[in-house]
Amino acid sequence: MADNPLVEMRAITKRFGGVTALQDVDLTANAGEVLAIVGDNGAGKSTLIKVLTGVYQPTSGDILIDGAKVDFSSHAEAITYGIDAVYQTLALADHLDPAANMFLGNELTKKVLGIDVLDNKRMRAETERVLMERLGVKLKSLDAPTESLSGGQRQAVAIARAVYSEGLRVLVMDEPTAALGPQETARTLKLIQTLKAQGLAVILISHSLDDVFEVSDRIHVQRRGQCVGVVNTRDSSTQEVLGLIVGAEEAA
């Protein structure tokens, strides 16, 4: 792994009133690796990634990119630093076609008689290009509403929207296979490996240890708002990770 992490989170603490959701959590993510974050519900996984992506601001602690401290006041600001997320809900408008979803809120336009109008042809072409060049995915039709796509295809559209940004360096994926069958899960895991091969740091939040052990390089384990261990996937086992998740050594 790289000597200099792409992203570091140092001693991150997040409190909501009297509740401490995160306590002195460290995290590192390297370019060209998949870092999995695992833990039971309430372990602090979602809060941690929301701090990383600018949705929440930490009560204390630092975030560094390429060794330089950064502060995000919003998710939009995190995106300008190359950090984005694809959440479990995907945030797709089901009634719109894939191209409209790809450019939702950032539509491409052209001048017609001096008036800005949507450049639907260019948006379709760009959607087709990004899906194929970045993800190796070709949809049978770009005209159908997104709700008619399979779960894996919908996931691909959401990922394509994130990676369309040339500056994207870190992609957080929250439970990407949660609602997918075996074949769609395999396709989505392949997409993750494709992004890794392109040099992105992929941070995978998942309850599926099978998926985690298939695609991750390292596993960061959260319990009760703290990081209780980080292991190299190839040197670890499901039993070891489960022990960290449930606190087996405390019960021993």
Side-chain angles (χ1 to χ4, degrees):
M1 287 301 161
D3 293 331
N4 301 307
L6 173 54
V7 173
E8 294 179 79
M9 302 179 80
R10 295 180 179 174
I12 296 293
T13 294
K14 178 61 179 176
R15 298 188 182 93
F16 298 94
V19 177
T20 300
L22 297 172
Q23 182 69 49
D24 292 325
V25 176
D26 293 337
L27 177 147
T28 62
N30 303 298
E33 80 159 343
V34 178
L35 173 70
I37 301 178
V38 300
D40 282 337
N41 292 333
K45 304 185 302 296
S46 293
T47 302
L48 185 62
I49 63 168
K50 285 179 179 177
V51 170
L52 177 61
T53 56
V55 177
Y56 295 151
Q57 285 68 56
T59 304
S60 61
D62 297 318
I63 299 174
L64 296 86
I65 298 179
D66 293 327
K69 183 180 174 182
V70 295
D71 293 297
F72 306 141
S73 60
S74 66
H75 178 53
E77 191 170 355
I79 292 174
T80 68
Y81 281 92
I83 300 175
D84 204 352
V86 176
Y87 292 104
Q88 188 174 349
T89 59
L90 301 183
L92 296 173
D94 284 340
H95 64 288
L96 299 178
D97 63 39
N101 268 294
M102 174 97 162
F103 291 95
L104 192 61
N106 295 288
E107 289 80 5
L108 302 180
T109 61
K110 61 182 179 181
K111 293 282 188 182
V112 176
L113 300 176
I115 300 172
D116 285 330
V117 298
L118 293 178
D119 193 342
N120 291 307
K121 183 177 180 180
R122 184 178 165 209
M123 287 191 286
R124 285 168 54 87
E126 283 292 277
T127 299
E128 193 169 24
R129 178 186 67 80
V130 173
L131 282 168
M132 178 53 68
E133 289 184 4
R134 296 298 302 273
L135 303 178
V137 172
K138 183 173 179 61
L139 300 179
K140 289 184 179 179
S141 173
L142 287 175
D143 296 320
T146 303
E147 64 186 354
S148 69
L149 301 179
S150 70
Q153 290 170 331
R154 285 164 52 80
Q155 187 76 244
V157 171
I159 296 170
R161 183 170 60 190
V163 303
Y164 184 67
S165 169
E166 293 295 332
L168 183 70
R169 305 179 70 192
V170 181
L171 183 63
V172 176
M173 301 189 69
D174 182 22
E175 300 288 353
T177 63
L180 303 181
Q183 287 187 329
E184 293 289 293
T185 292
R187 292 190 187 101
T188 297
L189 295 180
K190 185 177 178 181
L191 294 182
I192 292 172
Q193 292 170 325
T194 298
L195 296 172
K196 169 189 169 179
Q198 293 171 5
L200 265 66
V202 180
I203 299 178
L204 169 67
I205 294 85
S206 180
H207 279 98
S208 171
L209 290 185
D210 287 343
D211 293 353
V212 164
F213 272 87
E214 183 168 342
V215 298
S216 72
D217 297 288
R218 293 185 299 129
I219 305 171
H220 170 116
V221 185
Q222 284 284 127
R223 186 171 79 247
R224 298 176 185 171
Q226 296 181 302
C227 175
V228 293
V230 180
V231 300
N232 291 320
T233 307
R234 65 183 179 183
D235 300 326
S236 187
S237 65
T238 301
Q239 185 176 5
E240 180 186 11
V241 172
L242 281 173
L244 289 168
I245 289 173
V246 303
E249 73 283 358
E250 291 182 2

